Amino acid sequence: MEYVTVQNKKIPIVADVDVFVAGGGCAGSGAAIAAGRAGVKTFVAERLFALGGTMTSALMSKIAISFSNHGIAEELLKRLDAFQHSDFLAGRHEVPIDPELAKWMLDDMVVSEAGAELRFGATITGVIKEGRNISHVIIDGLNGPEAIGAKYFIDCTGDGQLAFNAGASFLVGNEQGYSSSPTLMFRIGNVDIEKLISEMEAHADVYASEQDTYSNHKISPAQNRKNIANDKYAHFADFIPLIRQKIKEHPDFLTPWESEMMLQRGLIFMNQPQGPHVLVNSTRIPYFRGDNGKELTDALIAGRKQVHATFKFMRAFVPGFEKSFLMDTGSMLGIRESRRITGDYIFTDDDVNNLRKFDDAIVSNFGGIEIHSADGKSTRHDELGSGNYYHVPYRSIIAKDFDNLYIAGRCFSANHAALSASRNIAYCMALGQAAGTAGAQLIKAGKQNVRDIDIRALQQKLASII
Ligand SMILES: Cc1cc2nc3c(=O)[nH]c(=O)nc-3n(C[C@H](O)[C@H](O)[C@H](O)COP(=O)(O)OP(=O)(O)OC[C@H]3O[C@@H](n4cnc5c(N)ncnc54)[C@H](O)[C@@H]3O)c2cc1C
């Protein structure tokens, strides 16, 4: 057994691979599948106990996917449809998924099919580097600290944990240092959705929308009924007039802060592929940066408080929820934004809004700016117009301070507003796919620097996502 020595401690080297993927969220899964399929030795370390990250463990089980994305995300959605005998993908760009099925399918795609070595319960805690090159990462899990050597590293931890441990430069938040506010997602089971839709039709005044949050997602009750019958995304939002009415009728039911929260945010929930349950996206944690463990703990505690208050209201007063139960909350916080590692290029909102195309394009995307205000009170969501898209350049997945480190998924190099546009699940998966494909190509070409890529050859391999 070979060892590395860190602070006088001998740590065993348990694997030596071509490509190391940090974090097994959608970006990490995309990276591992792409690298593994390309035939290079790949290792993925995930601190939790399932693949998918936010999409599965944080219960953000609805994939936004552009019409031009025919990459690994589309493949996953086709598999889910085939297994469920459903046709959800036809409803892109918003596709509800079953998070449990996705976890299971990703296990297969990453391990059995792509042949990557996967370690769950493995947190990246450090790196060994020389100058601009990382040689090993240190993971910590059931076996204690272990080292893994690799030629290329892809940080898909969302928070940029590998790059941060390596000392890479990064940015956090907006001009005041705050990130888009996070959400603790939760699901409610045993909901009579048809009853809700009928009530909404019968009492249009009580269910009229007051907020313009998610105005792009406004769907009429009749259309929601049709969508549910036809395996499509259904979205219910606002409910402010109902909340105001119930607070008036039952002044002691909610505490003052619960009332304030409910009136501020209203309710936002959507359908899921399996059975009579809904996914709720109503909680918001204000003034969150995303780079501090105490802040994260406090956010989860506050999020759970909001979940239980919201559920209490829904069960008591929203038609169709009378016999419902709280199924689960995300086993991780739904973090929209935290560290953004600085790359050779910082992708900007100007690039998004001007639908910029790049010579070194690796992925295209269609998302407009979607900033969840730092105070958690409002959402700005722009649409770019049907058929419009922009490119993301290869340089924005290269960590500027290193020669063998990619950053893929929501920690890629972007400014605050640009990240808000380009962090949807299928897109993060595509960034991972691009980084995994690039790493494999470099290995095969015998190159030692991410900047020595043959970009045209890479773009040919990435045609399905550009
Ligand atoms: C509330 C909310 C609503 C959203 N709505 C939508 C939507 O409707 N549609 C859509 O497409 N997208 C949506 N998004 C965006 C999307 O879900 C995320 O941007 C995307 O899933 C991020 O994927 P990722 O792989 O980059 O990061 P993550 O999902 O954060 O994955 C990172 C992974 O790395 C692991 N990890 C972290 N640190 C370490 C470490 N030190 N060692 C080992 N492993 C580590 C984590 O456990 C995790 O599994 C939403 C996000 C949120 C939070």
Side-chain angles (χ1 to χ4, degrees), residues 22-29 45-48 50-58 60-65 93-94 122-125 139 155-162 165 181-185 214 217 233 270 281 283-284 332-337 370 372 408-411 419 422-429:
C26 55
S29 299
E46 165 56 49
R47 70 178 167 184
L48 300 180
L51 292 168
T54 305
M55 169 176 72
T56 55
S57 297
M60 190 46 246
S61 44
K62 188 258 290 173
I63 297 183
I65 180 167
H93 52 92
E94 304 291 353
T123 301
I124 287 115
T125 58
I139 60 171
D155 188 339
C156 299
T157 60
D159 301 326
Q161 282 294 113
L162 191 158
N165 276 301
S181 57
T183 291
L184 183 61
M185 302 291 294
Y214 283 105
H217 287 242
Y233 172 59
M270 59 202 90
N281 181 353
T283 69
R284 291 292 180 280
M332 60 189 244
L333 183 66
I335 297 177
R336 293 185 168 84
E337 177 189 350
E370 186 189 327
H372 295 252
R410 67 174 177 81
C411 58
L419 179 72
S422 44
R423 58 175 169 72
N424 61 62
I425 291 168
Y427 166 79
C428 284
M429 209 164 213

Side-chain angles (χ1 to χ4, degrees), residues 190-328:
N190 203 28
V191 179
D192 185 345
I193 302 179
E194 176 48 37
K195 179 173 177 185
L196 171 65
I197 292 173
S198 303
E199 284 288 319
M200 291 178 86
E201 285 172 329
H203 305 283
D205 52 328
V206 179
Y207 297 96
S209 287
E210 283 196 7
Q211 291 185 334
D212 61 0
T213 301
Y214 283 105
S215 53
N216 305 323
H217 287 242
K218 269 184 189 148
I219 303 178
S220 70
Q223 189 62 46
N224 269 334
R225 179 185 287 114
K226 253 195 212 158
N227 285 4
I228 291 170
N230 293 306
D231 289 353
K232 287 200 169 63
Y233 172 59
H235 188 259
F236 301 82
D238 205 300
F239 295 79
I240 303 279
L242 176 78
I243 296 167
R244 195 180 302 110
Q245 177 192 320
K246 295 301 173 189
I247 289 173
K248 205 168 161 196
E249 287 169 7
H250 307 272
D252 299 327
F253 187 79
L254 295 177
T255 64
W257 82 261
E258 287 173 343
S259 296
E260 192 190 332
M261 175 196 75
M262 295 295 302
L263 283 170
Q264 217 167 62
R265 296 232 44 86
L267 296 171
I268 303 168
F269 54 92
M270 59 202 90
N271 63 328
Q272 292 280 267
Q274 316 284 1
H277 68 274
V278 297
L279 174 69
V280 188
N281 181 353
S282 290
T283 69
R284 291 292 180 280
I285 309 300
Y287 302 111
F288 182 85
R289 283 174 56 88
D291 60 348
N292 181 295
K294 165 132 179 46
E295 176 194 50
L296 179 61
T297 307
D298 292 345
L300 278 157
I301 292 169
R304 270 194 276 277
K305 236 171 130 174
Q306 291 187 27
V307 165
H308 284 271
T310 308
F311 174 65
K312 177 172 82 169
F313 180 91
M314 292 174 83
R315 193 173 199 281
F317 300 126
V318 179
F321 285 74
E322 297 83 353
K323 294 181 182 156
S324 68
F325 65 95
L326 180 58
M327 272 175 76
D328 47 9

Side-chain angles (χ1 to χ4, degrees), residues 18-21 26-42 72 152-156 362-363 394 397 405-409 428-444 450 453 458 461-462 465:
D18 294 316
V19 173
F20 177 87
V21 180
C26 55
S29 299
I33 292 166
R37 281 182 183 170
V40 300
K41 216 171 158 192
T42 305
I72 293 170
Y152 288 99
F153 296 83
I154 309 177
D155 188 339
C156 299
I362 46 164
V363 172
Y394 179 66
I397 62 163
L405 175 59
Y406 288 113
I407 38 182
C428 284
M429 209 164 213
L431 283 183
Q433 180 174 347
T437 307
Q441 181 179 312
L442 288 163
I443 294 283
K444 289 181 174 170
V450 288
I453 197 85
L458 178 64
K461 295 190 187 104
L462 300 179
I465 51 174

